[in-house]
Structures are given as structure tokens and as C-alpha cells.
């Protein structure tokens, strides 16, 4: 089989997501990822500057929040992003976190959130924080009555014994 160079194929592009080089990557219909979790300590870091220059709230300089904002600049109209994120992106209640949440939900149509808190150690044995999965669109919500699918699966014996992940209707 011939080798395929994914680095330059248009499928995968290797670059610092917040660099000028990344801004010239062709727009995508779907972005899926697990952005870095943690706070950026350096105020002059590209990731922090990018958010400041665009007036995007960045609670605790959480890198995952910056990736949420940046992803939409790489989406085609109607495109979707889906990220696994730290639980605090939605459930942190500091003043800056609430500003971020309000701005984000007003700017982008969030379609689905899967709260994986109950699966923290099952899915990620060494995890230091609970996680969520969020799927959202580039476009703003069409109205204030947008419905978001919110799933919160719970662990049960089948997960531990058979490693089957099921989401019950009540979850």
C-alpha cells in the first residue's frame, strides 16, 4: 500500500491551533477533539492573547475554553465541533465562568451535552477532573427556546462487569 502523508493531506493539519499558520487551514464541517485541560499561566501566551484580542471570556485562562472559541473560526457554515471538556466549563460558578457560559451559549447553538461525571474513573483511570462532551454549531441559536439534549449516564453493574456503556431513558 502507498503511504499517505496525513500531515499535508487536508485531513489532518499539524500546527499550533492559535498560530497564524493555523488560521489559513481550510474550513471543516466537523472538528472533534480533546483540547488541553488546565490554565495557562503566561498572559502573553498565544492562546490567552487570541481570546483577549477577540474579547472572548476565558475563565481561569482555561485552555479548553479557548479551544471552544477557536474551533468555530475553522468551521464551515453549518459545521459542528465536538469536544471532551473539563466539567468546570459548564459547572464552574465564578463570575468569569458565568460570563463565559452566557457568551458562549448566546453565540453558538449547543446541541448536546453528555455529562460523564459518573464515569470519571471508569473512562479515565488517572483523571484529576470530571468531564463532559459538548457538541455545538458555529451559528447562534435561532431563538431563546433552543433545546439542548443533556445526557447524564450513570454507572451500574453492567459497566463494571461487561464494560457496556448504556444510557437509560431517565438519564
Amino acid at each position: 500500500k502507498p503511504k499517505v502523508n496525513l500531515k499535508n493531506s487536508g485531513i489532518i493539519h499539524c500546527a499550533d491551533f492559535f498560530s497564524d499558520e493555523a488560521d489559513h487551514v481550510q474550513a471543516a464541517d466537523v472538528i472533534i477533539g480533546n483540547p488541553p485541560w488546565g490554565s495557562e499561566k503566561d498572559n502573553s501566551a498565544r492562546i490567552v492573547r487570541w481570546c483577549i484580542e477577540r474579547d472572548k471570556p476565558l475563565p481561569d485562562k482555561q485552555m479548553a475554553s479557548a479551544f471552544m472559541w477557536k474551533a468555530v473560526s475553522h468551521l464551515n457554515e453549518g459545521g459542528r465541533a465536538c469536544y471532551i471538556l473539563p466539567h468546570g466549563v459548564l459547572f464552574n460558578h465564578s463570575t468569569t465562568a458565568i460570563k463565559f457560559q452566557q457568551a458562549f451559549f448566546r453565540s453558538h447553538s449547543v446541541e448536546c451535552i453528555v455529562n460523564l461525571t459518573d464515569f470519571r474513573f471508569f473512562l479515565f483511570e488517572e483523571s484529576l477532573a470530571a468531564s463532559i462532551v459538548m457538541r455545538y454549531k458555529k451559528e447562534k441559536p435561532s431563538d431563546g427556546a433552543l433545546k439542548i439534549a443533556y445526557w447524564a449516564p450513570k454507572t451500574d453493574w453492567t459497566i463494571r462487569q461487561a464494560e457496556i456503556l448504556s444510557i437509560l431513558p431517565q438519564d
Side-chain angles (χ1 to χ4, degrees):
K1 287 184 170 182
K3 291 187 177 182
V4 177
N5 181 356
L6 292 176
K7 181 174 181 181
N8 299 313
S9 70
I11 297 169
I12 296 174
H13 184 82
C14 298
D16 177 336
F17 198 45
F18 292 88
S19 70
D20 293 336
E21 178 186 352
D23 287 339
H24 302 293
V25 174
Q26 180 180 344
D29 293 322
V30 177
I31 294 176
I32 299 170
N34 181 3
W37 297 13
S39 295
E40 175 57 63
K41 309 273 187 275
D42 183 0
N43 285 336
S44 64
R46 281 186 194 157
I47 195 167
V48 175
R49 285 194 334 257
W50 188 93
C51 290
I52 291 170
E53 289 166 4
R54 288 154 184 83
D55 197 29
K56 301 294 184 190
L58 188 61
D60 303 321
K61 296 182 193 139
Q62 171 55 255
M63 291 182 281
S65 299
F67 272 75
M68 291 170 66
W69 287 122
K70 181 74 162 67
V72 296
S73 68
H74 294 281
L75 288 172
N76 289 319
E77 292 302 315
R80 290 177 169 85
C82 187
Y83 279 141
I84 186 163
L85 301 161
H87 180 266
V89 166
L90 283 187
F91 297 103
N92 184 340
H93 299 299
S94 72
T95 303
T96 55
I98 290 171
K99 285 180 184 176
F100 163 78
Q101 294 157 8
Q102 290 171 336
F104 193 85
F105 279 83
R106 287 183 181 131
S107 302
H108 306 293
S109 295
V110 175
E111 298 177 316
C112 181
I113 296 167
V114 181
N115 185 339
L116 297 173
T117 301
D118 216 36
F119 291 85
R120 177 176 170 184
F121 299 111
F122 176 73
L123 294 174
F124 310 103
E125 195 172 306
E126 305 287 324
S127 178
L128 299 176
S131 61
I132 62 168
V133 175
M134 182 186 291
R135 187 181 71 215
Y136 58 97
K137 294 172 78 174
K138 178 177 187 166
E139 292 78 25
K140 290 182 177 185
S142 57
D143 62 43
L146 176 72
K147 292 187 179 184
I148 299 170
Y150 181 83
W151 302 342
K154 305 295 180 217
T155 57
D156 64 21
W157 72 271
T158 59
I159 292 167
R160 298 261 184 233
Q161 300 301 313
E163 296 185 354
I164 296 172
L165 179 67
S166 58
I167 300 177
L168 301 173
Q170 61 268 27
D171 295 333

